[in-house]
Amino acid sequence: MIKVVIVDDEPKLRQGLQTLIPWGSLGYTVVAAAGNGREALKIIEEEAPEVVVADIRMPVMDGLQLIEQVRAAGHNTQFIILSGYADFEYAKQAIRYGVAGYLLKPVNIGEMSATLQLVRERIEEEERKRTSPQTETLDRDLYLHRLLVPQEKPGESIRLGAGIGQPDWLWSGSYEVVVIVPRVPEAELPDALNRLAAGLKAMAEERDLGAVTIISPYVVLLLNAPLRGSQRRDNLYGEIRNIAAGIRFIAATGGAVTEAGLICNSYSKAREAAKLSFFSDRDRLLEPDYPPVCPPVPAGLTEDNNEEYMRDLILRLYYCLDVGNKAMVAQLLNEAAAMYCGQRQDENHVKQAFFFLCNGIIHKLAAASRLEGKETEKVSHFLNGIYQHDRLQQLIEDIRRFLLDFVEESDTQGKEHEFKRMIDFIHKHYAEDLKLSTLAGLLNYSTPYLGQLFRMKTGEYFNTYLDKVRIQRAKELLAQGMKVYEVAEQVGYTSVNYFFSKFKKYEGRSPSDYKNP
């Protein structure tokens, strides 16, 4: 049985996890529980558990500090992290630490069980690797590996006559490398590689195409003649798909080379091409230097202002849901995709960025009481699913559909409907840094036109109307006994002096006078 330690500062949650999760049937046993990271460290030293289930935010020592301490001590422990909606920054670090699972509170029994199943398979596979006897490497595979992996001296040619087990076709003088990467969970990778390699070897030997070997995580097909033309590439891709028989995969070519000593170059280019599969437009044999399929990069966006841009994007998407602008949700998501494509970010970086983007929006929805308890499982499933997508366009579409479930709907339409939405929006978000240009962008109007429309409908300039909404709310808070500087911040003024001047302008007296008549 796999030993587990549960770490959480909430006694009810610790007890709930121990009693509600079917640990025994999943192959686990809970050996201890702790209320914080410091207590857990002592238990981990004594019990040496394979798995730790820990809350991300705890007193004395939180989940992240616990991971750091355990990693520093050299323990090969798998961590499953539990997190609330508000733990956005903590979650970001947890993902970077390579935790085995990330679940939102309240914990769903089914989702926790599924995560534990995957973790157990990972542990069992690592154990098999440690204990299984090392089989002697076949001469043929050893020779192929020497061809594919760059030699110690760059540019040094392989001496064909001195190789061991070299196939006769290496004298052909023209080659091409194709790599196949199974898209399966880590625990299933060895089996998938062996199945694909066996099928490809049978095909290659039957048709005298070349040789096949495994260099994890790749199955490598070394062709004894280059693929000429798109039809041959498409045909080979179709044959690989038939051999895969349901295994999801990526296939990429490194292009033709004219001597055995350059086969390593084709292999290197094939691996680089495979890394760009996430940005491709369809299932195909990927090629070196194939341009990613992405929208145009937003003007003025650089890597230096990425974080500021993402914070603004979270806010704009949240606002779009609030005013019901479905079209702009898709536009903004495509804009984010274009940013990462333009900066040549890798697949994991892009998925991580969209994870944090969605988590930021979900946090705002939860803070505004727009998420019901029954939706927690749906949200958790969606966030974890972000990392399972094979294509960027599929990921964008999935995020778009998910976010549109939270769009504020209304029975009325037309300009009157839009204007009512705008007024409601101001009354909900008055405490934020609202600008007329922000509303104009959300409603697809020019800023000057919306300003004229607003004044015509309300008789007030936008900023005047916003000030009056803020001052009215300030009066209510002052009447409740809040301090002046607290009220100023609560209603959206960063300067207390500025708040004083605005209050006196509209009320004819200072906030202090209003508070103490």
Side-chain angles (χ1 to χ4, degrees), residues 316-331:
R316 286 194 288 165
L317 279 166
Y318 173 61
Y319 286 164
C320 283
L321 303 182
D322 223 19
V323 299
N325 192 335
K326 298 180 180 180
M328 186 160 286
V329 170
Q331 179 182 324

Side-chain angles (χ1 to χ4, degrees), residues 357-491:
L357 173 69
C358 295
N359 204 18
I361 296 169
I362 290 166
H363 173 56
K364 286 186 171 297
L365 290 169
S369 302
R370 294 270 300 278
L371 283 177
E372 299 179 11
K374 62 183 180 182
E375 293 177 311
T376 301
E377 181 180 356
K378 168 186 167 185
V379 168
S380 182
H381 178 75
F382 164 74
L383 287 174
N384 285 320
I386 287 176
Y387 290 92
Q388 309 308 315
H389 283 78
D390 292 338
R391 296 283 185 274
L392 177 60
Q393 292 301 330
Q394 294 171 352
L395 173 60
I396 295 298
E397 178 58 23
D398 194 33
I399 293 174
R400 186 189 69 84
R401 285 197 300 265
F402 175 79
L403 292 180
L404 290 187
D405 285 346
F406 298 98
V407 167
E408 289 281 1
E409 300 287 359
S410 174
D411 296 332
T412 59
Q413 298 297 326
K415 291 189 181 301
E416 289 300 324
H417 155 70
E418 288 186 346
F419 184 75
K420 182 179 182 303
R421 276 319 237 327
M422 181 165 55
I423 296 299
D424 290 344
F425 184 87
I426 293 170
H427 281 266
K428 287 172 65 175
H429 300 283
Y430 62 86
E432 298 168 20
D433 185 22
L434 285 189
K435 295 181 176 64
L436 184 63
S437 58
T438 303
L439 280 171
L442 293 172
L443 299 172
N444 296 321
Y445 287 120
S446 70
T447 302
Y449 175 79
L450 186 61
Q452 294 175 7
L453 178 65
F454 192 93
R455 190 179 183 194
M456 182 179 70
K457 291 286 188 179
T458 65
E460 304 276 11
Y461 289 107
F462 171 80
N463 287 336
T464 301
Y465 188 91
L466 177 61
D467 279 334
K468 287 184 175 181
V469 171
R470 287 173 167 174
I471 296 304
Q472 180 58 40
R473 178 57 178 155
K475 289 162 59 178
E476 296 170 4
L477 296 175
L478 288 167
Q480 295 172 16
M482 286 185 65
K483 296 178 180 179
V484 173
Y485 74 89
E486 293 175 331
V487 172
E489 183 179 353
Q490 192 88 353
V491 299

Side-chain angles (χ1 to χ4, degrees), residues 53-71:
V53 179
D55 187 8
I56 203 168
R57 188 190 291 269
M58 296 178 292
V60 185
M61 178 186 290
D62 63 31
L64 297 179
Q65 294 169 327
L66 175 61
I67 295 174
E68 287 181 332
Q69 293 286 333
V70 172
R71 294 274 194 267

Side-chain angles (χ1 to χ4, degrees), residues 194-411:
N194 288 327
R195 285 170 55 191
L196 282 170
L200 286 167
K201 280 180 180 177
M203 179 192 74
E205 290 172 0
E206 179 184 346
R207 294 167 49 191
D208 193 27
L209 294 178
V212 175
T213 189
I214 295 174
I215 303 179
S216 186
Y218 308 106
V219 175
V220 185
L221 172 59
L222 177 56
L223 298 169
N224 59 12
L227 296 166
R228 304 293 186 190
S230 60
Q231 187 60 53
R232 286 196 63 191
R233 296 180 187 279
D234 290 344
N235 290 344
L236 177 60
Y237 186 86
E239 290 171 327
I240 296 171
R241 184 169 50 212
N242 292 336
I243 290 169
I247 298 175
R248 292 163 52 225
F249 68 92
I250 297 163
T253 172
V257 293
T258 56
E259 58 180 87
L262 298 177
I263 286 173
C264 59
N265 293 345
S266 183
Y267 174 56
S268 178
K269 288 182 178 179
R271 287 183 299 160
E272 289 303 314
K275 291 178 182 178
L276 295 177
S277 67
F278 183 64
F279 304 97
S280 65
D281 55 347
R282 64 182 178 90
D283 292 337
R284 60 191 298 277
L285 186 63
L286 301 169
E287 303 169 39
D289 303 319
Y290 183 79
V293 179
C294 288
V297 181
L301 188 61
T302 66
E303 292 190 43
D304 294 336
N305 58 12
N306 268 8
E307 290 192 10
E308 180 183 347
Y309 169 79
M310 288 301 289
R311 286 195 297 269
D312 180 64
L313 186 60
I314 289 172
L315 197 59
R316 286 194 288 165
L317 279 166
Y318 173 61
Y319 286 164
C320 283
L321 303 182
D322 223 19
V323 299
N325 192 335
K326 298 180 180 180
M328 186 160 286
V329 170
Q331 179 182 324
L332 291 175
L333 290 174
N334 282 326
E335 183 179 296
M339 175 183 74
Y340 290 111
C341 284
Q343 295 175 357
R344 306 293 286 182
Q345 302 285 6
D346 62 30
E347 176 181 342
N348 287 334
H349 187 106
V350 173
K351 287 180 177 179
Q352 187 181 76
F354 277 109
F355 176 92
F356 297 136
L357 173 69
C358 295
N359 204 18
I361 296 169
I362 290 166
H363 173 56
K364 286 186 171 297
L365 290 169
S369 302
R370 294 270 300 278
L371 283 177
E372 299 179 11
K374 62 183 180 182
E375 293 177 311
T376 301
E377 181 180 356
K378 168 186 167 185
V379 168
S380 182
H381 178 75
F382 164 74
L383 287 174
N384 285 320
I386 287 176
Y387 290 92
Q388 309 308 315
H389 283 78
D390 292 338
R391 296 283 185 274
L392 177 60
Q393 292 301 330
Q394 294 171 352
L395 173 60
I396 295 298
E397 178 58 23
D398 194 33
I399 293 174
R400 186 189 69 84
R401 285 197 300 265
F402 175 79
L403 292 180
L404 290 187
D405 285 346
F406 298 98
V407 167
E408 289 281 1
E409 300 287 359
S410 174
D411 296 332

Side-chain angles (χ1 to χ4, degrees), residues 137-148 164 213:
T137 304
L138 296 176
D139 287 350
R140 183 182 179 89
D141 279 341
L142 178 58
Y143 185 74
L144 287 172
H145 288 201
R146 287 178 59 197
L147 288 168
L148 294 162
I164 53 174
T213 189

Side-chain angles (χ1 to χ4, degrees), residues 118 181-193 195-196 217 246-250 388 390:
L118 292 175
V181 190
R183 298 300 296 257
V184 298
E186 187 176 346
E188 300 173 19
L189 182 60
D191 180 61
L193 288 170
R195 285 170 55 191
L196 282 170
I247 298 175
R248 292 163 52 225
F249 68 92
I250 297 163
Q388 309 308 315
D390 292 338

